[in-house]
Amino acid sequence: MKSDELFAKAQKHLIGGVGAGGRFHPLFGHAVYFARGFGSRLWDVDGKEYIDFFTGSGANFLGHNHPAIREAIQRALEVGIICNGETEYHSQLADLVSEAVPCAEKIRFANSGTEATMGAIRIARSYTRKPRILKFEGHFHGMLDYLWYNCSAGVGDIQEDGTVTPLPDSQGMPHALADLIVVVPFNDLNAFERAVQVHKDELAAVIMEPISYNQGCIPSDPAFLREVRRICTECGIVLIFDEVLSGFRMCRGGGQEYYGVTPDLCTLAKGLGGGVPIAAVCGSTEVMSVLNPAGHTVMSGTYTGHLTAVMGAIACQKEIAKAGFYEHINRLADRLYKGIADGLRITGVPGIVQGIGARFGLYLGVTEPVTNYRQAVRTDREMEIRFLRGCLDRGLYFHDYGRTMHHGFSSQHSLSDIGEALNIIEDALRGL
Ligand SMILES: Cc1ncc(COP(=O)(O)O)c(C=O)c1O
């Protein structure tokens, strides 16, 4: 197999045979080496075709090789591979984002979701002059040492003050940084209130995924979210929605439009550019004004708002703004999630599917709705592995993240792709 040959070669100089750790696919024992992506499909180097339910961790929201994004990148190349330079296109993209995202009065670009969340918490610390950040168990905000706690490291002990012991998700993070984080169970208002009561004078920000997509798809309880908003305002804490995954996923304004709750800041990536490397921090003029050159808080970079990414993202945003875009996404979503639920029922496999817009979680071995991380990690991992393997063998590409299952489709998927995927899913469930 060509994949095996490539893996052998890759190991010579790429540590673990991969350019990024997350691309190792535990079920294959190596990365999947792709030859091509087009529309809703991926092909590996051995010629196997897959319907893509990974979509580049949600970045390929417009599918692969979308003609509008490709043409925009080609036009950008004609302008020149301009690094660290401002153009007319930067404000065009900012206008489109501001039109779509409720909190986005002002925007600053970044290269990745990790960089955007790093910027957002720096802004919050600068604005409030307070040091600590409250995050929720299971919510992922990128790989920065300040926030990478309690996403996959397991379940920490619950303390008297409603908080959970911070557990780092990677080795190599200085212990001292754990003092700057306050972790609280998601959707637990009582724990949140107690934690804020105790720590409010030190809390710069509450950061959260409005929909915990990194644990599959765990929606915020709307009443909980409204209270989080109210309490943050009351206590002078900046509320940050990390919309790196939820942005644009079910409607143009992302989680904040979906819930009708506007944060002070939000971070965007993935769906912002439909596959080009771009991210952003957005927020109210008042809070964003701490950023240089308006203020004295620095956030910049050589590749920040790279022209190819900016022009690609403009094309992506114009596609998203077209009439009928979300009707299509939500039609596919309804068909898919109902179809999976039917498949579980027909085959008698214990499991539950939860999806909002173009992203979903499939939890096998549990049958009650999943409302927090503690429930999400109770799934039957062994059954999930057999299910994933069954789908991959039959040509439906799911990435294995090692624990929870979060997946999605793109705007280039069709109802017939979804029908085909549902047949594969039902077969794989039957195989269990
Ligand atoms: C909610 C959320 N925040 C931040 C990140 C980090 O983004 P990136 O991988 O672009 O650094 C991710 C990535 O999956 C994410 O889902």
Side-chain angles (χ1 to χ4, degrees), residues 18 58 188 266 283 287 361 382:
V18 279
D188 183 339
C266 84
V287 179
E382 193 268 334

Side-chain angles (χ1 to χ4, degrees), residues 57 112-115 117 140-142 209 214 242 244-245 269-270:
S57 277
S112 67
T114 298
E115 206 187 298
T117 56
F140 177 59
H141 304 297
E209 293 183 76
N214 276 287
D242 180 353
V244 164
L245 257 179
K270 307 197 189 229

Side-chain angles (χ1 to χ4, degrees), residues 217-219 351-354 363 366-372 375-376 378:
C217 175
I218 308 179
I352 185 159
V353 58
Q354 297 182 178
Y363 309 90
V366 296
T367 47
E368 294 298 311
V370 175
T371 61
N372 62 32
Q375 292 165 336
R378 280 198 213 121

Side-chain angles (χ1 to χ4, degrees), residues 46-86:
D46 293 302
K48 189 167 172 71
E49 179 176 336
Y50 299 93
I51 300 173
D52 183 14
F53 268 12
F54 172 50
T55 64
S57 277
N60 293 116
F61 181 41
L62 299 195
H64 297 282
N65 218 344
H66 191 285
I69 298 183
R70 195 176 57 235
E71 279 159 31
I73 292 173
Q74 276 159 353
R75 267 186 285 119
L77 294 177
E78 280 155 29
V79 179
I81 304 175
I82 295 178
C83 292
N84 219 350
E86 209 64 16

Side-chain angles (χ1 to χ4, degrees), residues 39 56-57 73 95 102 131 153 167 179 235 256 261 272-273 334 368-369 402 409:
S57 277
I73 292 173
D95 291 350
L167 301 174
D179 291 342
C235 299
Q256 49 199 285
V261 173
L272 172 61
D334 289 348
E368 294 298 311
F409 58 85

Side-chain angles (χ1 to χ4, degrees), residues 56-59 111-117 139-144 207-211 213-214 241-246 267-270 278-279 401 406:
S57 277
N111 294 297
S112 67
T114 298
E115 206 187 298
T117 56
H139 292 208
F140 177 59
H141 304 297
M143 303 209 184
L144 65 162
I207 188 166
M208 65 187 299
E209 293 183 76
I211 296 157
Y213 277 127
N214 276 287
F241 280 3
D242 180 353
E243 300 236 40
V244 164
L245 257 179
S246 57
T267 51
L268 301 169
K270 307 197 189 229
I278 191 155
Y401 296 86
H406 74 88

